Amino acid sequence: MVVVGAGFSGLAAALALARAGAQVRVLEARDRVGGRVLTGWLDDGTQLDLGAQWIGPTQDRMYALVSAYGVDTFPSAAYGAGYVRRPGGRSTEPPPGAEELFAALDSLGAAVDPAEPWRAAGAPRWDRMCLTDWLERTAVDPESARYAGRLLAGGLLAASPDEISVLQTVFYLRAGGGSRSLLGMAGGAQQDRLVGGPGALAERMAAALPEGSVTCSAPVRAIEQDRAGVLVHTDRERVAGDAVVVALPPALAGRIRYTPALPALRDGLTQRAPMGSAFKVHAVYPEPFWRADGLSGVGTAVVGPVTETVDNGTPDSERGVLTAFCYGDEARELRGMSAAARRDALLDALAAVVGRRARRPDELIEYDWSADPYTRGCFCGALTPGSWTRYGPFLRRPVGRIHWAGTETATRWAGYLEGAVRAGERAAAEVTGAGHRANQPSQR
Ligand SMILES: Cc1cc2nc3c(=O)[nH]c(=O)nc-3n(C[C@H](O)[C@H](O)[C@H](O)COP(=O)(O)OP(=O)(O)OC[C@H]3O[C@@H](n4cnc5c(N)ncnc54)[C@H](O)[C@@H]3O)c2cc1C
């Protein structure tokens, strides 16, 4: 069996296939495993999670892997009061009516089966309506609509609310257990971090595969299939197998050349799931000065380029790390600026919520996932308005010997590490259940 991509989904698929007795080859484009996770280290050893970082309750497969591979976790820093940056300044409360908007969307989601969101009674209407329209019609005031749009479209999908449909929003809410679960720190998706970052876990997962299973620096360019099996082409080799699990976001899976060509609707799906647009920037200070002022550093914003911040310090480091997240239009605007102008805009936004000392970080560290050829955006891909009802059924449907994994195909915790693992394990079960002959992968 062949697996394309050594992110969490590809690794989980490969481990499950290996457990089922298959011989597996994993072909990974980058020179490392892990995909959308990357750990940076400051010179004093402080850990910075440049990609994914959190896990939280009900992400059972991730906690099981953390435990099985002996990776320690620690809780996200939480020391003082949170804030909401609103037009008049810093507040402790979100705009009135915002919680009701989250609750209303959660209750729409209750009617959606995340395995088949296109079948919900309201699906046609929700799919053609963008989140902005729904919020403007439903909200009691424009500020709460703007706040909810920034948190739901931005904080969850790194998009602007006019880029995603109501159906995409409620699917995602449902898959992650609702807005409280998705947006929460303790008790929610942002509860725990991994010592060494999720990359440390990915490396252990890869090491648990039989030696030689994973080949890095091997971007897959083409996949051929016929009645005998599949032939997966990299620049250096052709790997044969009975079946292939493509563990990539749809937008990247669409860049592989398939012979025979993919069915038109599957190909169409890959053209309608763009990656989000986010900036995750770490401002590093000698110490977390905001804590002395009784501030947690954790907050959200209705105005400005930064939608969310967190105190991203680690228990073993004295350095203060304030991490800023910018999404959708704000991220695109920042991307268009010079590095100096972007730095000013980001530091002004941080100063507005934790005070003037924020303007003088030791370092400001960003990793641009949108410019990375093997991710091309973050956090994940999301279907454009109108696409769930037209193309959704082709998200997971295998094409002959090609099976689709990747977090975007998950029915639980889609878009998250947990979704990636579940999708990989589901694809592996599909492959073994499909009765493809257990040929050894071999080089041709
Ligand atoms: C900045 C950021 C913050 C995030 N925060 C969180 C968080 O806190 N918690 C959370 O749960 N999730 C978070 N996420 C989302 C999380 O990272 C993803 O859901 C998860 O990593 C997806 O795993 P995957 O295996 O499906 O895809 P990927 O990790 O994208 O894996 C795909 C792999 O395929 C490789 N590849 C691409 N093209 C080819 C090719 N042609 N041939 C071979 N290999 C190829 C890639 O290099 C990559 O290794 C975040 C993501 C980002 C970017």
Side-chain angles (χ1 to χ4, degrees):
M1 305 293 176
V2 186
V3 175
V4 181
F8 274 78
S9 206
L11 292 172
L15 285 164
L17 287 167
R19 271 197 305 273
Q23 284 189 292
V24 190
R25 275 292 299 281
V26 184
L27 301 169
E28 165 54 48
R30 291 184 170 103
D31 60 2
R32 61 171 182 84
V33 300
R36 281 170 257 177
V37 306
L38 185 60
T39 310
W41 301 97
L42 297 177
D43 48 12
D44 65 353
T46 302
Q47 169 187 330
L48 291 182
D49 294 324
L50 302 174
Q53 65 175 63
W54 288 294
I55 58 175
T58 78
Q59 298 186 353
D60 302 335
R61 292 300 304 132
M62 280 300 291
Y63 281 102
L65 288 168
V66 157
S67 154
Y69 291 103
V71 174
D72 291 329
T73 62
F74 59 97
S76 297
Y79 290 90
Y83 72 85
V84 181
R85 186 181 176 199
R86 296 178 55 189
R90 198 174 67 201
S91 161
T92 51
E93 297 298 325
E99 296 295 343
E100 287 76 3
L101 292 173
F102 296 146
L105 286 163
D106 282 334
S107 64
L108 292 188
V112 169
D113 174 357
E116 298 181 311
W118 55 89
R119 286 198 195 279
R125 197 159 40 87
W126 298 338
D127 204 21
R128 62 175 175 262
M129 185 186 290
C130 73
L131 183 59
T132 302
D133 283 349
W134 185 90
L135 289 169
E136 286 177 353
R137 284 180 200 193
T138 314
V140 289
D141 70 50
E143 195 192 339
S144 62
R146 189 165 160 69
Y147 180 76
R150 281 172 68 117
L151 254 67
L152 295 175
L156 301 185
L157 291 156
S160 287
D162 56 356
E163 292 181 277
I164 58 166
S165 68
V166 177
L167 187 58
Q168 169 68 47
T169 310
V170 297
F171 154 75
Y172 205 81
L173 287 171
R174 184 88 164 122
S179 58
R180 277 181 192 277
S181 158
L182 282 156
L183 297 172
M185 300 286 296
Q190 285 67 233
Q191 177 172 289
D192 291 317
R193 296 177 61 193
L194 279 60
V195 173
L201 174 58
E203 280 165 20
R204 291 184 197 187
M205 290 165 72
L209 288 164
E211 208 177 328
S213 302
V214 181
T215 306
C216 287
S217 304
V220 167
R221 308 292 185 194
I223 296 176
E224 292 175 61
Q225 64 169 323
D226 60 20
R227 269 186 284 169
V230 297
L231 198 54
V232 181
H233 298 245
T234 71
D235 295 334
R236 285 199 295 268
E237 63 177 335
R238 295 178 302 169
V239 182
D242 284 324
V244 57
V245 173
V246 177
L248 311 181
L252 292 187
R255 290 174 187 242
I256 293 175
R257 205 170 57 250
Y258 298 88
T259 307
L262 292 179
L265 290 173
R266 167 66 209 187
D267 189 62
L269 174 102
T270 68
Q271 300 173 44
R272 287 165 176 80
M275 304 299 283
S277 192
F279 260 108
K280 177 181 184 184
V281 185
H282 303 274
V284 182
Y285 302 92
E287 73 270 326
F289 60 86
W290 51 90
R291 293 182 194 168
D293 300 331
L295 291 173
S296 68
V298 178
T300 51
V302 190
V303 290
V306 173
T307 293
E308 295 181 280
T309 60
V310 290
D311 180 332
N312 237 349
T314 54
D316 58 354
S317 168
E318 289 178 357
R319 307 293 286 278
V321 181
L322 197 58
T323 299
F325 294 86
C326 314
Y327 307 122
D329 289 338
E330 289 80 27
R332 281 182 283 263
E333 200 177 328
L334 289 168
R335 187 161 284 116
M337 294 178 180
S338 68
R342 182 156 70 235
R343 179 185 167 90
D344 283 348
L346 287 166
L347 295 180
D348 282 351
L350 295 183
V353 289
V354 295
R356 275 185 312 187
R357 286 176 71 185
R359 284 186 210 275
R360 294 189 308 278
D362 294 342
E363 294 184 66
L364 194 63
I365 297 171
E366 64 183 45
Y367 181 86
D368 190 355
W369 291 94
S370 295
D372 185 318
Y374 298 119
T375 297
R376 297 189 182 268
C378 73
F379 312 113
C380 61
L383 288 178
T384 53
S387 298
W388 265 113
T389 44
R390 295 183 175 95
Y391 295 90
F394 301 91
L395 183 59
R396 281 182 298 280
R397 187 178 296 175
V399 175
R401 295 171 177 274
I402 307 174
H403 297 257
W404 309 105
T407 192
E408 287 79 6
T409 69
T411 58
R412 190 86 176 90
W413 287 108
Y416 288 74
L417 295 166
E418 174 76 11
V421 169
R422 289 182 186 229
E425 291 175 347
R426 185 261 312 144
E430 247 172 47
V431 168
T432 47
H436 300 298
R437 279 178 304 111
N439 276 349
Q440 284 187 211
S442 61
Q443 205 173 324
R444 279 202 209 159

